[in-house]
């Protein structure tokens, strides 16, 4: 089975967690795009969505789903998002689509984080297959890169990408993330870092993995 079909399967299975007349937190990326499409079919049963990227906002509107600002809600029942890597503790690397900061903000509003992935995203140790994205204030790019090198990483500037917040992305290779919680805190303490793509302090609550055998739910 191809990867897109597995993403669609995970996205479809996430619908069972959507409460009637609720506002749904929606992340970004190709798996989430499948979820937005599925959400469009039940749009009359929900109040709307809070989106973690401008791209998701646009897709939600195209489906006829009302988009609320994160400032308009005091909390969300669920947040549905993909991941670049997820470990057995439901901690993730995210930010392949450069939306990590807004994703962290919307995830923090939600009672339940539902992570939808295909099976290629499952790893034992974060950093095994995917570079770690770090969102950086443009004027601090070089000094943050030097600090990341000092910490053992190999940062690469993601050319011609500006985040929805007007910042830049450094993708850090060669980080084996043995202690995700400590690493997330340490990197977020570097001056000039807006946030990094480790989602360990706020990990997922439910993981839905699209596999050739069907959607597997890990609660
Ligand atoms: C965007 C993200 C995405 O959730 C992550 O990159 C996974 O994307 P995809 O569903 O396209 O594989 O973190 O910033």
């Amino acid at each position: 089975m191809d990867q897109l079909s597995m993403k669609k399967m995970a996205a479809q299975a996430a619908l069972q967690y959507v409460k009637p007349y609720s506002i749904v937190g929606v992340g970004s990326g190709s798996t989430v795009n499948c979820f937005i499409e599925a959400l469009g079919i039940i749009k009359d049963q929900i109040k709307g969505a809070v989106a973690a990227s401008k791209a998701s906002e646009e897709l939600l509107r195209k489906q006829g789903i009302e988009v609320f600002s994160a400032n308009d809600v005091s909390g969300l029942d669920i947040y549905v998002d993909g991941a670049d890597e997820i470990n057995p503790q439901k901690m993730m690397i995210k930010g392949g689509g450069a939306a990590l900061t807004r994703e962290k903000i919307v995830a923090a509003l939600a009672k339940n984080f539902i992570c939808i992935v295909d099976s290629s995203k499952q790893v034992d140790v974060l950093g095994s297959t995917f570079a770690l994205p770090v969102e950086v204030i443009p004027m601090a790019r070089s000094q943050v890169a030097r600090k990341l090198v000092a910490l053992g990483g190999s940062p690469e500037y993601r050319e011609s990408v500006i985040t929805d917040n007007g910042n830049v992305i450094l993708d850090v290779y060669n980080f084996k993330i043995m202690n995700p919680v400590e690493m997330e805190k340490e990197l977020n303490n570097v001056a000039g870092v807006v946030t990094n793509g480790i989602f360990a302090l706020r990990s997922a609550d439910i993981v839905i993995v699209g596999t050739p055998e069907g959607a597997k739910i890990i609660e």
Side-chain angles (χ1 to χ4, degrees):
M1 181 182 283
D2 63 86
Q3 202 180 11
L4 182 63
S5 307
M6 290 193 274
K7 288 180 181 197
K8 279 187 179 163
M9 217 183 297
Q12 185 68 34
L15 284 185
Q16 67 190 282
Y17 294 98
V18 176
K19 289 213 176 122
Y21 310 110
S22 64
I23 298 178
V24 182
V26 175
S28 58
S30 59
T31 318
V32 165
N33 292 349
C34 301
F35 177 68
I36 294 174
E37 216 175 296
L39 206 54
I41 296 164
I42 60 154
K43 66 169 180 248
D44 296 334
Q45 296 168 39
I46 61 168
K47 198 166 161 202
V50 172
S53 69
K54 289 182 182 168
S56 291
E57 246 176 70
E58 202 179 307
L59 280 181
L60 285 159
R61 289 206 178 95
K62 269 195 191 141
Q63 289 290 339
I65 297 169
E66 186 173 352
V67 178
F68 292 84
S69 148
N71 289 316
D72 291 338
V73 299
S74 55
L76 295 166
D77 185 52
I78 61 166
Y79 174 66
V80 179
D81 200 357
D84 299 304
E85 285 187 348
I86 184 155
N87 73 9
Q89 291 72 45
K90 304 191 182 85
M91 296 168 174
M92 297 154 282
I93 283 185
K94 293 184 44 52
L100 60 163
T101 300
R102 291 186 184 209
E103 289 171 345
K104 244 178 222 192
I105 292 168
V106 186
L109 273 172
K111 245 189 272 163
N112 289 297
F113 186 143
I114 298 166
C115 181
I116 50 175
V117 288
D118 64 83
S119 50
S120 71
K121 307 294 184 68
Q122 292 178 294
V123 296
D124 285 328
V125 177
L126 295 179
S128 307
T129 62
F130 203 84
L132 176 67
V134 180
E135 180 166 352
V136 176
I137 302 281
M139 71 171 284
R141 191 183 87 212
S142 298
Q143 72 192 73
V144 170
R146 284 192 293 273
K147 179 74 183 165
L148 292 168
V149 170
L151 290 170
S154 310
E156 271 182 26
Y157 173 38
R158 203 184 291 182
E159 303 259 2
S160 45
V161 169
I162 298 291
T163 70
D164 285 351
N165 316 306
N167 299 313
V168 297
I169 298 284
L170 295 174
D171 288 305
V172 192
Y173 292 84
N174 299 325
F175 266 163
K176 277 268 184 304
I177 304 167
M178 303 313 290
N179 189 336
V181 168
E182 285 315 308
M183 185 86 150
E184 182 177 355
K185 287 186 199 163
E186 183 171 11
L187 295 179
N188 281 349
N189 265 335
V190 176
V193 168
V194 178
T195 197
N196 72 85
I198 303 175
F199 282 57
L201 293 161
R202 204 298 174 232
S203 55
D205 301 293
I206 296 166
V207 184
I208 306 179
V209 190
T211 76
E213 290 77 43
K216 192 172 126 203
I217 298 182
I218 308 166
E219 292 199 334

